[in-house]
Amino acid sequence: MSLHTHAGGRSTRIAGTAARWVLGKIGGGLFVLWAVATAIFFGIRMIPGDPAEAIMGGPGSQASAEALAQARADYGLDQPLYVQYFGQLWRLATGDLGTSYSLKSPVAEVLGELVPPTLVLAVLALGVAWALALVVAVLSTRSGALGSALASGLEIVSAAVPHFWLASVLIMLFATALGWLPPVSTNSPAGLVLPVFTLALPLAGFLGQVMRDTLDAAHRSPFALSARARGESETGVLLRHSIRHAALPGIALSGWAFGSLLSGAVVVESIFARPGLGRSLLSAVTARDIPMVTGVALLSAAAYVVIMAFSDIAERLADPRMAGS
């Protein structure tokens, strides 16, 4: 077999593997979106109350029976449940998210205004969590058994802290007692500090536990010993070899981490009075705003799917051994 034929066959296999990977990600993403849309559709209808009342402004609106009947007819709520379900799936498939009951505006337009604040908060929190986890992992690895034990205890406590408690402590300390930062989120960079660290610290504790163990194992592995034998310094071994291996589990968990940040944003945005998807989702569930709840949930699921795909790509780039899988 010629070299040209061998190279062509290898390229074909790589292309086929890439195509299967892309199709698998697309298929998995569509399944996740369908599952979320289905769960939201049936779940929100199990909440006591009449969706028509939410359309008319809530129970306090004192809408007449005729007005409620007209609202049900206008929004298709008088149809059998299975007709409503497949009708909603068709609208979602064609990109129609509907109109918010409570805001009286297209859900797509509302989400367009809410996405940037939540995205900024989640991305900054993920970056801070990564930085804290790496710093603690590196320092504990170079500090011996005592440093590793202290870091482990700190990570466990940090990962176990609930967001609402941590937010309260940070507000009391840095806003009320010291007066360094505003107690509510503002448009200034200072207004982002407390919300970002409220989300980042528990995540940093979780990532740190995984990354520190991997970093410690990589630092004592045969390839690290070989690098030292070639005269490479401890700093060189750490930067060129160990950190890359320690980052792999963190990269693999980044998709899950981003999803946890979006769920944590529901609490954090409410506490710090910050506009965003989380705070709006809480208000929409309370108001039984079905289109809004569905839109926020689908957008969060889509973001999770995309981030998982990017984390998979980053993991393959960091570890060439995965390229052919």
Side-chain angles (χ1 to χ4, degrees):
M1 181 182 295
S2 66
L3 181 61
H4 177 75
T5 303
H6 178 75
R10 184 173 182 273
S11 300
T12 301
R13 287 195 302 272
I14 293 175
T17 300
R20 287 193 298 272
W21 183 85
V22 171
L23 291 175
K25 289 295 179 182
I26 293 175
L30 292 176
F31 176 80
V32 168
L33 294 178
W34 167 78
V36 169
T38 300
I40 292 297
F41 178 86
F42 290 104
I44 202 167
R45 281 163 175 78
M46 294 175 65
I47 300 175
D50 186 355
E53 288 186 347
I55 297 172
M56 299 304 295
S61 64
Q62 298 181 343
S64 64
E66 292 78 9
L68 291 174
Q70 186 61 47
R72 294 188 191 98
D74 292 342
Y75 285 86
L77 298 174
D78 57 343
Q79 298 176 344
L81 193 60
Y82 74 90
V83 175
Q84 296 181 45
Y85 171 67
F86 287 109
Q88 176 167 300
L89 287 185
W90 173 253
R91 289 191 296 273
L92 293 176
T94 57
D96 181 10
L97 297 178
T99 301
S100 169
Y101 296 166
S102 56
L103 301 176
K104 310 303 181 186
S105 299
V107 172
E109 293 183 6
V110 177
L111 293 180
E113 298 175 359
L114 298 176
V115 167
T118 299
L119 187 61
V120 168
L121 180 64
V123 170
L124 288 177
L126 184 60
V128 170
W130 255 89
L132 292 174
L134 274 176
V135 169
V136 171
V138 171
L139 291 179
S140 64
T141 300
R142 306 193 68 174
S143 300
L146 178 60
S148 182
L150 290 175
S152 178
L154 181 64
E155 289 160 356
I156 292 173
V157 171
S158 177
V161 170
H163 289 118
F164 69 87
W165 184 87
L166 180 58
S168 302
V169 170
L170 293 179
I171 289 173
M172 286 190 296
L173 179 60
F174 293 102
T176 305
L178 299 175
W180 291 353
L181 297 166
V184 296
S185 184
T186 62
N187 293 327
S188 65
L192 270 171
V193 174
L194 292 183
V196 165
F197 273 86
T198 300
L199 280 175
L201 288 175
L203 179 58
F206 183 82
L207 291 176
Q209 293 179 60
V210 178
M211 295 167 64
R212 183 171 48 80
D213 291 341
T214 308
L215 181 63
D216 184 58
H219 215 53
R220 293 183 283 104
S221 63
F223 67 80
L225 296 175
S226 176
R228 293 188 188 96
R230 295 194 303 269
E232 194 158 359
S233 65
E234 288 295 324
T235 301
V237 172
L238 180 68
L239 296 178
R240 293 186 178 88
H241 305 285
S242 300
I243 283 184
R244 187 180 69 176
H245 287 267
L248 288 175
I251 293 173
L253 289 171
S254 290
W256 166 86
F258 194 81
S260 73
L261 291 175
L262 291 179
S263 63
V266 175
V267 175
V268 172
E269 289 177 348
S270 298
I271 293 175
F272 291 98
R274 178 178 174 80
L277 292 175
R279 189 180 177 194
S280 298
L281 177 60
L282 185 62
S283 301
V285 171
T286 304
R288 289 180 59 87
D289 191 340
I290 298 174
M292 192 65 189
V293 173
T294 304
V296 173
L298 284 177
L299 184 61
S300 300
Y304 174 79
V305 170
V306 171
I307 294 298
M308 284 294 293
F310 276 110
S311 67
D312 195 357
I313 293 173
E315 190 177 5
R316 288 165 179 263
L317 292 175
D319 188 358
R321 293 171 301 178
M322 299 181 62
S325 60

